[in-house]
Amino acid sequence: MRLIFPVLTLSRGGAQRMLAELANRLSSTGHDVVVLMPAGGTVEYEMFCQVIHSPAATLTEHDFPYGDVIVSNYYTTVLAAQRASEQGKGIHVRLALCYEPTFLPDNNQSFASYSITRNLMVLSRWQQEIVRINHGIKGRIVPVGVNGDFHNMHLRGVPGRSLVVSAILRKPEGGFSGHREQEYLLQELNTVKELHPEVQIYLITPPGEYADSPALKAILADSRYQTRTPSNDIELCYHYNESDIFVSSSTFDTGSLPGLEAMRCGAALATVYSGGNLEYGVHGHNCLMSYRFENRLAQDIVTLIRDKELRERLAVKGESDSRRFTWERSMKIFQGELFDIVAKQGGV
């Protein structure tokens, strides 16, 4: 099949990673994949399929080449994709990598975008149910995966080494990080540092966001934290492996990829319930998970610091449980759903 992916950006991030992984793997399987981006669209992942840029900063239906399927994602790509589909340029399928109305600006527009096509794919049962309740559409589930570059390097347990607690911090400017509860995260990490000053706290942030964000620079200037700015998966894998405990404070994620990646690298996970992380996280089994209203994140981190047996047991179980989440599996599920949609709508 010829697949057209309208994509606003391929900068570092969970949603963009999934788009890059699916596009690349579908291309390597033999599909003709085209990623269509607006002028100036950022590409921070290595792409092995065709990437074309439109002449303008906003995509329109006229920018789309002809294909068999158009796969939109973020709500601002949906209308142009539908109009292109109506011009005969391909069956329109939306891969919703987040549920925008709840936590992003312009929720009246993003809410309305879910009425534009019935062909919908989502990342988790939680996201599937939200869309079903609000819009009456039952999305097909395509789970997230973990890149094979992420693995346990067995760096922990060196005598005399300080225990490391790490978390990801993203650029707060722009209104796109409110669901990450980063003020709460820092508050809880500061509590942990007060109780255990010997613990090292690493904050991981994309280098481009660090360079662009005065707020991030101000936060990371605090001597209580050490900064990590990985520019690729090899460096990010190493920083996950530096971590004895990885912390996630997000309250709204359809997939919550960093927690899963950290698990794969052998870190014990302390996380806030975010919806999508129920696909892989089970409290007391492979992580410690709390609801935001419980205000228990610092307590869970301290529990893992003080209870070495529990920390190591959850880490081992988390690493094992994470192994079924691969991008190859995600691609095969996605491809199967595309074939089913196309067959039912009389396409290729």
Side-chain angles (χ1 to χ4, degrees):
M1 291 190 296
R2 190 166 204 236
L3 308 173
I4 314 300
F5 285 79
V7 175
L8 299 182
T9 178
L10 286 172
S11 57
R12 293 281 167 179
Q16 293 83 7
R17 178 183 293 278
M18 186 166 191
L19 289 171
E21 291 284 353
L22 291 177
N24 281 337
R25 291 174 186 277
L26 287 163
S27 179
S28 68
T29 303
H31 297 286
D32 181 7
V33 178
V34 178
V35 171
L36 170 65
M37 303 185 72
T42 302
V43 180
E44 293 182 348
Y45 290 98
E46 188 174 6
M47 300 304 296
F48 304 108
C49 61
Q50 185 182 7
V51 178
I52 60 175
H53 288 82
S54 73
T58 301
L59 294 177
T60 73
E61 62 270 29
H62 307 296
D63 298 314
F64 285 71
Y66 283 88
D68 300 302
V69 178
I70 298 170
V71 184
S72 66
N73 50 87
Y74 192 60
Y75 79 96
T76 57
T77 69
V78 173
L79 186 57
Q82 179 62 25
R83 288 173 173 167
S85 179
E86 291 168 0
Q87 292 182 355
K89 294 183 174 181
I91 295 170
H92 180 199
V93 177
R94 181 177 186 176
L95 173 62
L97 301 166
C98 62
Y99 185 65
E100 306 93 332
T102 305
F103 70 102
L104 292 177
D106 301 318
N107 61 338
N108 59 324
Q109 296 176 37
S110 60
F111 188 91
S113 72
Y114 283 85
S115 301
I116 290 175
T117 178
R118 63 180 300 167
N119 299 320
L120 178 69
M121 299 194 198
V122 295
L123 308 190
S124 59
R125 290 164 292 180
W126 170 80
Q127 183 189 10
Q128 181 187 59
E129 187 64 5
I130 288 175
V131 175
R132 188 194 65 78
I133 289 171
N134 284 337
H135 306 279
I137 299 170
K138 185 177 181 180
R140 302 159 182 247
I141 296 175
V142 179
V144 296
V146 177
N147 191 300
D149 289 341
F150 293 104
H151 63 284
N152 189 344
M153 300 167 67
H154 302 286
L155 303 178
R156 303 170 186 90
V158 176
R161 173 184 173 273
S162 296
L163 196 101
V164 174
V165 175
S166 71
I168 288 177
L169 202 66
R170 300 297 298 269
K171 176 181 176 179
E173 294 96 338
F176 293 97
S177 64
H179 65 295
R180 300 180 187 277
E181 292 274 3
Q182 293 187 159
E183 290 184 7
Y184 172 61
L185 172 66
L186 295 173
Q187 168 194 306
E188 298 298 277
L189 291 176
N190 291 342
T191 298
V192 170
K193 190 68 173 176
E194 289 173 9
L195 294 170
H196 286 277
E198 78 283 3
V199 168
Q200 300 294 315
I201 297 178
Y202 293 176
L203 295 179
I204 304 168
T205 189
E209 292 189 18
Y210 178 77
D212 291 342
S213 172
L216 272 183
K217 289 176 182 174
I219 293 168
L220 295 170
D222 191 314
S223 61
R224 288 172 291 187
Y225 316 130
Q226 292 190 36
T227 305
R228 296 291 184 267
T229 53
S231 60
N232 54 48
D233 287 349
I234 293 173
E235 292 180 11
L236 180 56
C237 174
Y238 181 79
H239 297 325
Y240 283 140
N241 274 274
E242 289 183 302
S243 313
D244 296 278
I245 300 165
F246 183 80
V247 182
S248 176
S249 60
S250 179
T251 52
F252 200 93
D253 269 327
T254 52
S256 203
L257 191 54
L260 185 62
E261 291 173 341
M263 277 182 164
R264 178 68 62 83
C265 294
L269 177 65
T271 184
V272 173
Y273 164 82
S274 64
N277 59 2
L278 281 185
E279 295 297 308
Y280 60 81
V282 180
H283 175 67
H285 170 74
N286 58 19
C287 68
L288 292 185
M289 182 183 294
S290 59
Y291 288 100
R292 175 63 181 87
F293 76 88
E294 295 176 295
N295 196 27
R296 206 184 71 209
L297 188 57
Q299 179 184 330
D300 282 350
I301 298 167
V302 169
T303 296
L304 291 174
I305 291 171
R306 295 175 178 175
D307 191 337
K308 183 172 185 278
E309 185 279 329
L310 174 64
R311 182 174 74 244
E312 292 179 348
R313 177 171 61 81
L314 294 180
V316 168
K317 191 61 180 170
E319 183 181 349
S320 174
D321 289 349
S322 74
R323 294 190 184 283
R324 68 187 179 93
F325 292 90
T326 68
W327 289 121
E328 184 67 20
R329 169 176 173 253
S330 303
M331 183 276 290
K332 288 180 179 177
I333 292 172
F334 182 66
Q335 176 183 247
E337 297 293 359
L338 286 180
F339 280 143
D340 187 63
I341 290 170
V342 169
K344 288 179 177 177
Q345 296 191 208
V348 173

